[in-house]
Amino acid sequence: KGPSFDPTWIEKLKRNPRKAKSFTGNFAVTYHFQSRKHGGKVTDYGIRMWHSKVKGDDLKRYRLLNSELEKLNKASPGYIRFAPMELFEPEEYGFLVKGNRHPCLRMEWQDAENLDIFIHNIMKDKNINFESKKNLFREIKQKVLETGEILHRLKCSHGDLSSGNIMLSQQKDGSIKIHVIDFDSSYSQTLSNLRPSSIGHEDWQHPGYISGKLDMFGPKSDYCPLLTLIITLEALATDIDLYDQFAPPSQDGSGILIRKKDLVSPENSPVFRAMLDLNNSMLTTYIDDLFMLLNQNNALTIKRPNSVHVNQQVARPAVSVIVSKHEVSAKPRKAT
């Protein structure tokens, strides 16, 4: 129950009310509802409720989030959407369970697929040739960079950019639309005093932030995920065989090519070595920026990597060099 909200369970509309589809993540479950507005227009919503008690900071964040998301959407082109949400709270509103009303979120329903599922479907579609796949991956990469640029310009961060929180849809003209969801870890100047309930997925986020060694809450929390995303997309656009070699067997929001172990020990990573062997100078530049970020042990000295700037997509000579433990340099010859 919520203000100006007349919900109908979507499975009931489909006459299959005993098989409700639920989407779980971050201690919460989401169900699909529809609501008819005063003009008769039907709108789809996701209703999200938590498995456990919600922290006070989280409730404060959700009370403020909708206006923050409105600012981001006003600053965004039509092909980037930050999914709006509204908090419904007891005593009057919320989700009724066994006589007790609990807080829940009403979210704009996204008719889209998670990034990892979208990419998997592209990879397995034999009707799409390599050139078309390559163009799609680079279009997605460009729009991911633009999403990061909008967040940076408004001094915000998502905090958990990953294949589970970036959704994609293909428009009638074939172009890609980005849908950003799940703002449990988000930051803005308005939200700066509210600590996040989670700090991102370990396959996408800086290991130092995950372990608690580095406090990257704020704009810096998006640097590692953005680099990991554009590296993945540029690598697939260069060599689609990397997908069969490194992609996980299931799509659940985990890393598409790069996993936690690669971020923890990049110099020993087979996937990074395979990417560098492609001799794509732009890809090498992205990886170089990621390696320099991963080597940082002081959050205060971390700067925004050049590779995540939309206007600085220029390949440059690499600074970091991976040297295998098995490689031994030859002894210098004596002068004669």
Side-chain angles (χ1 to χ4, degrees), residues 104 148 244:
C104 65
D244 289 334

Side-chain angles (χ1 to χ4, degrees), residues 199 206-216 296-299:
I199 53 175
H206 195 297
Y209 189 30
I210 293 290
S211 68
K213 291 180 181 178
L214 297 177
D215 183 3
M216 297 176 68
Q296 292 279 349
N297 53 22
N298 185 349

Side-chain angles (χ1 to χ4, degrees), residues 193-260:
N193 293 325
L194 304 174
R195 300 302 296 181
S197 58
S198 64
I199 53 175
H201 194 295
E202 60 185 11
D203 286 348
W204 300 94
Q205 189 53 268
H206 195 297
Y209 189 30
I210 293 290
S211 68
K213 291 180 181 178
L214 297 177
D215 183 3
M216 297 176 68
F217 178 56
K220 294 176 183 180
S221 65
D222 282 349
Y223 296 167
C224 187
L226 281 170
L227 284 169
T228 308
L229 285 162
I230 64 174
I231 287 169
T232 298
L233 292 161
E234 182 63 30
L236 289 173
T238 308
D239 183 3
I240 58 173
D241 291 337
L242 290 172
Y243 189 80
D244 289 334
Q245 189 176 354
F246 295 106
S250 60
Q251 291 70 52
D252 57 3
S254 301
I256 297 170
L257 297 179
I258 301 166
R259 311 301 289 271
K260 176 187 176 181

